[in-house]
Amino acid sequence: MKKLVVKIIKLRSPYFTIDDDLNSGAVLQFIWIQLWSIIRGFRMLLSFRNPKGMLLGRRVSFFNVSKIKWGKFLRLGNDVYVSALAKHGIEFGDNVSIGAFSRVIVSTSFNNIGEKIKIGNNVGIGEFAYLGGSGGLEIGDECIVGQYLSCHPENHNYEDPETSIRLQGVNRKGIKIGKNCWIGSKVTILDGVEIGDGCILAAGSVITKSFPDNSIIGGVPAKLLKTRTHENQSDDTRNLLRYQSV
């Protein structure tokens, strides 16, 4: 049974393995949950869209689904909400996973709709993420992300002290995250930030400025702690960057 499960899951995640100590009851429950997720994915046929192996948790909802594109094996956890009120919509690559209770929202207002959200291949994002896309959000291939990621590619204007801030409009630069990044839990990324390829963002960091490739950053506000090299990169770090859970 375990060998069959591994063979099927490897279609989505080639590096996946099952721990030898995992009991058969847990495997059977996992299979049951995944079967129902696949069945829920077939609801996309009602929108005349190919689900491409989509796995949907309970109470997943979409807004403006015609502006949403996805690759193979998109997995959305329970209570995920995806809103593509946008100029250029939302695009998910192959083998993207978004954890339960997350929000993927380009715009919240009809009078000034935002740009887009684009998530690359083999990206795993933990539970309770908020991915805003008003100024544009891009996440590169092979990124792994902990819980509570928060991305806000928009700022309110506030220069006029005589006018309510909510009436002064917004400015937008966008957020871009490179490939093969490891983002810890509870990281907040603000507008105008570009993160290079291969970066590590420490848990709890608030990212207010851009960083180049292979930076290890952390703090509030975040600063450069170290640059990754073959000499200082431990085996554990390499494994964490390389492997992604199902």
Side-chain angles (χ1 to χ4, degrees):
M1 175 68 74
K2 290 183 181 179
K3 290 182 179 179
L4 178 60
V5 171
V6 170
K7 186 175 181 179
I8 293 172
I9 294 175
K10 279 190 172 182
L11 295 174
R12 182 183 190 275
S13 184
Y15 298 112
F16 177 79
T17 60
I18 286 184
D19 194 297
D20 292 336
D21 293 327
L22 188 66
N23 61 296
S24 297
V27 173
L28 289 173
Q29 185 175 1
F30 173 79
I31 293 171
W32 179 255
I33 292 170
Q34 301 312 306
L35 283 174
W36 274 107
S37 296
I38 293 171
I39 291 170
R40 284 190 288 266
F42 281 120
R43 62 187 262 196
M44 291 297 103
L45 294 173
L46 300 176
S47 301
F48 305 101
R49 304 288 298 278
N50 181 358
K52 300 180 183 178
M54 182 184 291
L55 295 90
L56 297 181
R58 297 185 298 274
R59 298 176 298 278
V60 172
S61 57
F62 299 91
F63 181 79
N64 204 17
V65 71
S66 65
K67 298 280 284 188
I68 303 173
K69 298 179 181 178
W70 56 83
K72 297 180 294 184
F73 304 120
L74 171 64
R75 187 175 72 171
L76 303 177
N78 295 339
D79 298 285
V80 169
Y81 176 57
V82 181
S83 173
L85 181 62
K87 297 175 182 177
H88 305 294
I90 295 175
E91 182 177 346
F92 299 102
D94 295 336
N95 307 321
V96 171
S97 178
I98 308 289
F101 302 102
S102 294
R103 298 290 181 265
V104 185
I105 300 175
V106 179
S107 307
T108 58
S109 172
F110 278 72
N111 66 354
N112 186 16
I113 64 173
E115 293 293 328
K116 64 177 181 178
I117 294 175
K118 182 177 181 180
I119 299 177
N121 300 320
N122 305 313
V123 173
I125 298 175
E127 295 83 358
F128 295 96
Y130 183 88
L131 306 180
S134 52
L137 171 64
E138 295 186 33
I139 300 177
D141 299 344
E142 304 288 339
C143 286
I144 54 175
V145 182
Q147 296 82 3
Y148 295 95
L149 170 66
S150 185
C151 296
H152 303 277
E154 178 181 87
N155 275 314
H156 287 277
N157 299 320
Y158 57 87
E159 288 76 9
D160 185 356
E162 303 299 323
T163 303
S164 175
I165 292 174
R166 70 181 182 88
L167 299 177
Q168 295 189 45
V170 296
N171 61 84
R172 299 165 172 170
K173 299 177 183 177
I175 294 171
K176 186 174 181 180
I177 300 169
K179 300 177 181 178
N180 188 34
C181 291
W182 174 18
I183 301 176
S185 177
K186 299 181 180 178
V187 168
T188 298
I189 304 176
L190 301 184
D191 192 30
V193 167
E194 291 193 17
I195 302 296
D197 296 344
C199 289
I200 299 174
L201 283 59
S205 299
V206 177
I207 318 297
T208 61
K209 63 181 181 180
S210 301
F211 291 89
D213 294 353
N214 298 315
S215 297
I216 300 176
I217 59 181
V220 182
K223 62 181 180 179
L224 180 67
L225 304 177
K226 188 185 293 186
T227 299
R228 292 177 60 215
T229 67
H230 291 294
E231 288 74 23
N232 66 23
Q233 187 181 0
S234 69
D235 290 338
D236 287 341
T237 300
R238 278 196 293 270
N239 289 335
L240 282 166
L241 286 167
R242 180 179 178 185
Y243 295 110
Q244 172 184 331
S245 62
V246 177

